[in-house]
Amino acid sequence: MKLSNRILEMDFSPIRKLVPLANDAEKRGLKVYRLNIGQPDIVTPDSFFEGITNYNEKIVKYCDSEGVDPLIKSFIKSYKDFNIEFERDEILITQGGSEAILFALMAVCDPGDNVLIPEPFYSNYNSFAKVAGAKVVPFLTKIENGFHLPPKEEIIEKINDRTRCILISNPVNPTGTVYTAEELNMLADIAREYNLFIISDEVYRQFVFDDIQYTSCMHIKDLQDRIILIDSISKHYSACGARIGLVASKNKDLMKQILKLCQSRLCVSTIEQYAAANLINTLESYIKNVRCEYKIRRDVMFDYLNKIPGVVCNKPQGAFYILAKLPVDDTDTFAEWLLKDFSYDNKTVMFAPGAGFYATDGLGKNEIRLSYCTDIEDIKNALVILQKALEVYPNSSTIK
Amino acid sequence: MKLSNRILEMDFSPIRKLVPLANDAEKRGLKVYRLNIGQPDIVTPDSFFEGITNYNEKIVKYCDSEGVDPLIKSFIKSYKDFNIEFERDEILITQGGSEAILFALMAVCDPGDNVLIPEPFYSNYNSFAKVAGAKVVPFLTKIENGFHLPPKEEIIEKINDRTRCILISNPVNPTGTVYTAEELNMLADIAREYNLFIISDEVYRQFVFDDIQYTSCMHIKDLQDRIILIDSISKHYSACGARIGLVASKNKDLMKQILKLCQSRLCVSTIEQYAAANLINTLESYIKNVRCEYKIRRDVMFDYLNKIPGVVCNKPQGAFYILAKLPVDDTDTFAEWLLKDFSYDNKTVMFAPGAGFYATDGLGKNEIRLSYCTDIEDIKNALVILQKALEVYPNSSTIK
């Protein structure tokens, strides 16, 4: 039976593909430190669970396709604190940030159109682009440059008449880079000159460290009809399994069209939306404390990684990932070896191999993404194991 | 700013598009009977809410992309009672039946491929096909024939080398028709001869009346690698807002590929899945009682409609909709007039105009879909209003 080329050409998640091997390792009695996935160990605020149990309707009904009123109003209020003004019809609630990105791409790209993305990038952008029939055209950001954007001309040379949008995450998953206002203004200039949308995935925007000034794409002047904002409660409130996100834009024509996509899937989980509405704006200190906790973990991970011979990495400015270069030829093979053939003190470690975050073949093969949203002792233990593993790994090499 | 042709060519939901007019009418003080939407007024079982409150994790984590184990096992057990055997890796949990249909189309169709659908059909099939870049090719079912399938040759003549699948709902939304085993076997023959998948949307399969024998596509012998089953808890358990559905197939290669789509959106709401797992198989009598209630309502609606001069309809055998022909030129205009210019005893009525359920231009213009999943007194009152409206509607006509 012939399946679609679209689905055959999609990739399995590089972040999740090693899970069966990790499960096997655990069945063999090993402890596996799972630094592969962005699943925080921080508890979800009580107000979310209160919102769940407060739901006292007798029927779990469809709600409006655009989302429930209290949740949209909560988001509007929360953005005001960041000097971002949204009106009621400029926000649509989605099934996590994932659906928001997919809807944004669907709305601006036809099959064969191009999406410009700085690489490395969150690997599911590839999947969403494939689903939308769009082609990912990457431009390179380099570890030597802190994964900041390249000069304008390097981006422009990738643009052609099928280019429709630039898709960024900021802070960047998987590098932890936070773009400066100057970098965003450069992208804005490009968007104006070449008539592009900018899809800005800001699901980590509240996790920026070291008093770095965070600039949202929504803060760029005279560009607001070109900006599509992606947000989610998943990371900020440690509620990944709630699947509550949003797509937002001051471009009301665009939002009116995206409503068609929302109507096609009827609505987002009703109870989860009310719970999320009960969550946002109720906890001034929560995100501040979480940010503080992630900063401590980042410091621990960064300091430790830096001490491992042959490992190269930057100190992340935001989000909760480090993209590190290892002294091995192929981190895919190394990751499998760690789960199948290695243990130290009856423990091993799992991370996301770097190649999955690049669209260009051959790039990222000696890089890995490590998540530090897990317990600090686990981070320390995992890095000891990583060091011990690198000492004995047969295919170790010097950094190229 | 140029948007994608895909989204510009999509339609707003014909079922939901009149909602703003209904809201306006209510603001003017009118009572609006909303027979447009398949939102049951039956209470959701307590076991669902118990499942919600029993969730006692401290973190709302991502779950596996394929769905949580207890829910998949619940579905497997529930299918056994219908003589349908599924294994663990043949079911993937989705965000309602909506996502399941979209994933099925994505997996078998590339842009430009054709999907055969008997019309009239559930209007969102159009949207899912547009999102997948596929073209809907309808073949006509007629009210005179109880909306049963046409002869095999009428279906075959629509097939070309781009045809990939036949998409049906059974029982049919919007007509309430239940296909016979003979009809399904005819589709099976066509699928074999022309190498097609059959996507079978059976979200109303438990609502079949009058002791009619229900045949699932899963019951067809020697066809199981061609069948993609769509199911959902939305209608069966009156839990539309939970957004829990599934896509299932004995074709393991297909299911393995669809997992890529599941991974791209990470997971379905974790808490809702546990609640659904707590729901299924716990209530033998619930669905039986609901089925009985819908049968009573169907009889009331059918009997009443049949007495209104000029109205033509069949007695539905399943689901909870009637597709009726009215003595008016254009039910879109009539529906607007009802909400803007008419009231009887300070009340009016909303339904879904028929044209939205047809892909062929000009068809269904004098038809409407009425839902009878609402309170029986409301159904009676709504039909009185419909009759009064038809008596005075300026554009009434005899049936064509």
Side-chain angles (χ1 to χ4, degrees):
Chain A
M1 293 295 299
K2 189 191 168 307
L3 303 182
S4 68
N5 294 325
R6 164 184 21 228
I7 204 159
L8 295 175
E9 287 167 9
M10 282 179 73
D11 296 312
F12 288 99
S13 165
I15 299 163
R16 294 187 168 218
K17 69 182 176 181
L18 295 166
V19 170
L21 292 184
N23 293 344
D24 287 349
E26 284 172 352
K27 278 182 199 147
R28 296 197 313 274
L30 294 191
K31 161 82 184 163
V32 180
Y33 294 104
R34 297 178 181 235
L35 303 187
N36 59 310
I37 196 165
Q39 171 56 60
D41 74 331
I42 308 272
V43 297
T44 313
D46 286 342
S47 55
F48 181 85
F49 297 107
E50 285 161 18
I52 291 272
T53 47
N54 285 349
Y55 186 84
N56 61 3
E57 301 291 324
K58 296 283 181 203
I59 311 174
V60 187
K61 289 189 182 180
Y62 289 127
C63 60
D64 287 342
S65 298
E66 52 263 53
V68 305
D69 209 50
L71 180 56
I72 295 177
K73 285 181 177 154
S74 292
F75 274 121
I76 289 174
K77 183 168 180 298
S78 126
Y79 285 120
K80 270 199 210 307
D81 299 338
F82 284 81
N83 296 315
I84 298 170
E85 297 285 332
F86 277 121
E87 292 171 21
R88 179 71 177 73
D89 57 351
E90 294 169 347
I91 290 180
L92 292 166
I93 303 301
T94 56
Q95 289 166 145
S98 303
E99 187 182 63
I101 297 165
L102 180 61
F103 281 3
L105 288 173
M106 288 272 176
V108 303
C109 293
D110 278 311
D113 285 345
N114 292 350
V115 186
L116 276 188
I117 315 184
E119 70 178 342
F121 56 82
Y122 174 51
S123 50
N124 276 327
Y125 292 170
N126 263 324
S127 303
F128 301 136
K130 284 250 170 65
V131 167
K135 188 182 162 207
V136 170
V137 176
F139 56 91
L140 192 60
T141 67
K142 294 176 184 166
I143 196 166
E144 308 87 85
N145 190 30
F147 295 109
H148 279 279
L149 296 180
K152 188 174 172 184
E153 48 281 13
E154 283 186 34
I155 301 173
I156 287 172
E157 73 186 16
K158 303 281 186 170
I159 296 175
N160 66 21
D161 61 354
R162 295 305 298 269
T163 310
R164 294 284 172 267
C165 61
I166 304 171
L167 168 56
I168 60 168
S169 61
N170 185 29
V172 181
N173 172 3
T175 64
T177 303
V178 175
Y179 295 136
T180 62
E182 289 68 35
E183 288 176 283
L184 296 177
N185 278 318
M186 174 184 69
L187 291 183
D189 287 343
I190 295 172
R192 278 188 210 100
E193 282 172 44
Y194 292 89
N195 195 22
L196 308 176
F197 279 99
I198 296 177
I199 303 173
S200 186
D201 174 355
E202 304 189 6
V203 300
Y204 297 96
R205 73 190 156 82
Q206 304 217 44
F207 301 143
V208 174
F209 314 123
D210 310 324
D211 298 322
I212 288 171
Q213 176 68 35
Y214 180 65
T215 306
S216 165
C217 273
M218 291 306 301
H219 293 137
I220 303 174
K221 292 261 182 287
D222 305 326
L223 195 79
Q224 300 211 330
D225 64 329
R226 296 186 181 279
I227 301 295
I228 310 176
L229 179 71
I230 308 299
D231 207 346
S232 162
I233 67 164
S234 296
K235 311 296 178 175
H236 294 141
Y237 293 99
S238 196
C240 299
R243 312 312 298 130
I244 297 294
L246 65 79
V247 55
S249 178
K250 303 296 292 181
N251 185 326
K252 286 178 192 277
D253 287 343
L254 170 77
M255 294 310 291
K256 196 177 166 197
Q257 294 297 323
I258 294 179
L259 178 59
K260 293 176 179 173
L261 290 164
C262 294
Q263 285 185 344
S264 77
R265 53 68 167 141
L266 304 172
C267 71
V268 174
S269 299
T270 305
I271 297 177
E272 307 279 343
Q273 285 191 71
Y274 283 106
N278 201 52
L279 168 73
I280 300 166
N281 304 313
T282 54
L283 300 142
E284 290 224 357
S285 60
Y286 178 84
I287 287 185
K288 201 173 154 190
N289 293 341
V290 175
R291 186 189 303 126
C292 188
E293 176 65 26
Y294 286 149
K295 183 192 174 300
I296 295 167
R297 296 177 184 189
R298 176 204 62 172
D299 290 342
V300 166
M301 183 176 270
F302 175 71
D303 290 345
Y304 203 103
L305 276 175
N306 248 348
K307 286 180 199 147
I308 303 178
V311 172
V312 178
C313 64
N314 300 299
K315 186 182 271 195
Q317 303 164 297
F320 44 58
Y321 306 104
I322 291 186
L323 199 76
K325 204 179 258 195
L326 300 191
V328 303
D329 285 335
D330 185 336
T331 52
D332 267 298
T333 317
F334 181 51
E336 286 191 24
W337 177 83
L338 277 166
L339 294 169
K340 284 161 73 176
D341 302 317
F342 177 80
S343 69
Y344 174 77
D345 199 16
N346 223 26
K347 297 166 189 159
T348 192
V349 61
M350 174 161 62
F351 49 71
F357 300 95
Y358 288 83
T360 306
D361 266 357
L363 292 184
K365 287 189 78 170
N366 53 10
E367 293 173 0
I368 62 171
R369 190 193 75 170
L370 296 158
S371 160
Y372 53 86
C373 59
T374 42
D375 179 73
I376 201 154
E377 288 307 314
D378 286 355
I379 291 172
K380 288 178 188 168
N381 291 334
L383 293 178
V384 168
I385 291 163
L386 180 64
Q387 178 165 11
K388 296 289 178 190
L390 285 169
E391 285 167 12
V392 298
Y393 184 57
N395 299 317
S396 269
S397 69
T398 53
I399 285 284
K400 288 164 191 189
Chain B
M1 293 295 299
K2 188 191 167 308
L3 303 181
S4 68
N5 294 324
R6 165 187 18 233
I7 205 161
L8 295 175
E9 286 166 8
M10 282 179 73
D11 295 312
F12 288 98
S13 164
I15 299 163
R16 293 186 168 218
K17 70 181 176 182
L18 295 167
V19 170
L21 291 183
N23 293 344
D24 287 348
E26 284 171 353
K27 277 182 201 147
R28 295 197 313 274
L30 294 191
K31 161 84 183 161
V32 179
Y33 293 104
R34 295 177 181 236
L35 304 187
N36 60 311
I37 196 165
Q39 171 55 61
D41 74 330
I42 308 272
V43 297
T44 313
D46 286 341
S47 55
F48 181 85
F49 297 107
E50 285 160 19
I52 290 272
T53 47
N54 285 349
Y55 186 84
N56 60 4
E57 302 290 324
K58 295 283 181 204
I59 311 174
V60 187
K61 289 189 181 179
Y62 289 126
C63 61
D64 287 342
S65 299
E66 51 263 53
V68 305
D69 209 50
L71 180 57
I72 295 177
K73 285 181 176 155
S74 292
F75 275 120
I76 289 174
K77 183 168 180 294
S78 126
Y79 285 120
K80 271 200 210 307
D81 299 338
F82 284 81
N83 296 314
I84 298 170
E85 297 286 332
F86 277 120
E87 293 172 19
R88 179 69 178 72
D89 57 350
E90 295 169 346
I91 290 180
L92 292 166
I93 303 301
T94 56
Q95 291 167 145
S98 303
E99 188 182 60
I101 297 165
L102 180 62
F103 282 3
L105 287 174
M106 288 273 175
V108 304
C109 293
D110 277 311
D113 285 344
N114 292 350
V115 186
L116 277 186
I117 315 183
E119 70 178 343
F121 56 83
Y122 174 50
S123 50
N124 276 327
Y125 292 170
N126 263 324
S127 302
F128 302 136
K130 285 250 170 65
V131 167
K135 187 182 161 207
V136 170
V137 176
F139 55 92
L140 192 60
T141 67
K142 294 176 183 165
I143 196 167
E144 308 87 86
N145 191 30
F147 295 108
H148 279 280
L149 296 180
K152 189 174 171 185
E153 50 280 14
E154 283 186 33
I155 300 173
I156 287 173
E157 73 186 15
K158 303 282 186 170
I159 295 175
N160 66 22
D161 61 354
R162 296 305 299 267
T163 310
R164 294 284 171 267
C165 61
I166 304 171
L167 168 56
I168 60 169
S169 61
N170 185 29
V172 181
N173 172 4
T175 64
T177 303
V178 175
Y179 295 135
T180 63
E182 289 69 35
E183 288 176 284
L184 296 177
N185 279 317
M186 174 184 69
L187 291 183
D189 288 343
I190 295 172
R192 278 188 211 98
E193 283 172 44
Y194 292 90
N195 195 23
L196 307 177
F197 280 99
I198 296 177
I199 303 172
S200 187
D201 174 356
E202 304 189 4
V203 299
Y204 297 97
R205 74 189 157 83
Q206 305 218 46
F207 301 142
V208 173
F209 314 121
D210 309 326
D211 297 321
I212 288 171
Q213 176 69 35
Y214 180 65
T215 306
S216 165
C217 273
M218 292 305 301
H219 293 136
I220 303 173
K221 291 260 183 285
D222 306 326
L223 195 77
Q224 299 210 330
D225 63 329
R226 296 186 181 279
I227 302 294
I228 310 175
L229 179 71
I230 308 298
D231 207 346
S232 162
I233 67 164
S234 295
K235 311 295 179 176
H236 294 140
Y237 294 98
S238 196
C240 298
R243 313 312 298 131
I244 298 295
L246 66 79
V247 55
S249 178
K250 303 296 291 180
N251 185 327
K252 286 178 193 278
D253 288 342
L254 170 77
M255 294 310 290
K256 196 178 166 197
Q257 294 296 324
I258 294 179
L259 178 59
K260 293 176 180 173
L261 291 165
C262 294
Q263 285 185 345
S264 77
R265 53 70 165 138
L266 304 172
C267 71
V268 174
S269 298
T270 305
I271 297 177
E272 307 279 343
Q273 285 191 72
Y274 283 105
N278 201 54
L279 168 74
I280 300 165
N281 305 313
T282 54
L283 299 143
E284 290 223 358
S285 61
Y286 177 85
I287 287 184
K288 201 173 154 190
N289 293 343
V290 174
R291 185 188 304 124
C292 187
E293 176 65 27
Y294 286 149
K295 184 192 172 303
I296 294 167
R297 295 177 184 187
R298 176 205 61 174
D299 291 343
V300 166
M301 183 178 271
F302 175 72
D303 290 345
Y304 203 104
L305 275 174
N306 247 346
K307 285 181 198 148
I308 303 179
V311 172
V312 177
C313 63
N314 298 299
K315 185 183 273 197
Q317 303 164 299
F320 45 56
Y321 306 104
I322 292 185
L323 199 75
K325 204 178 257 195
L326 300 191
V328 303
D329 285 336
D330 184 335
T331 52
D332 267 298
T333 317
F334 181 51
E336 287 191 24
W337 176 83
L338 276 167
L339 293 169
K340 284 160 73 176
D341 302 315
F342 177 80
S343 69
Y344 174 76
D345 198 17
N346 224 26
K347 297 167 189 159
T348 191
V349 61
M350 174 160 62
F351 49 71
F357 299 95
Y358 288 83
T360 306
D361 265 357
L363 293 184
K365 287 190 76 167
N366 52 12
E367 292 172 1
I368 62 172
R369 188 192 76 170
L370 296 158
S371 160
Y372 53 86
C373 59
T374 42
D375 179 75
I376 201 154
E377 288 307 312
D378 286 354
I379 292 173
K380 288 179 188 168
N381 291 335
L383 293 178
V384 169
I385 291 163
L386 179 64
Q387 177 165 13
K388 295 290 177 189
L390 285 170
E391 285 168 10
V392 299
Y393 183 57
N395 300 318
S396 269
S397 67
T398 53
I399 288 283
K400 288 168 188 188

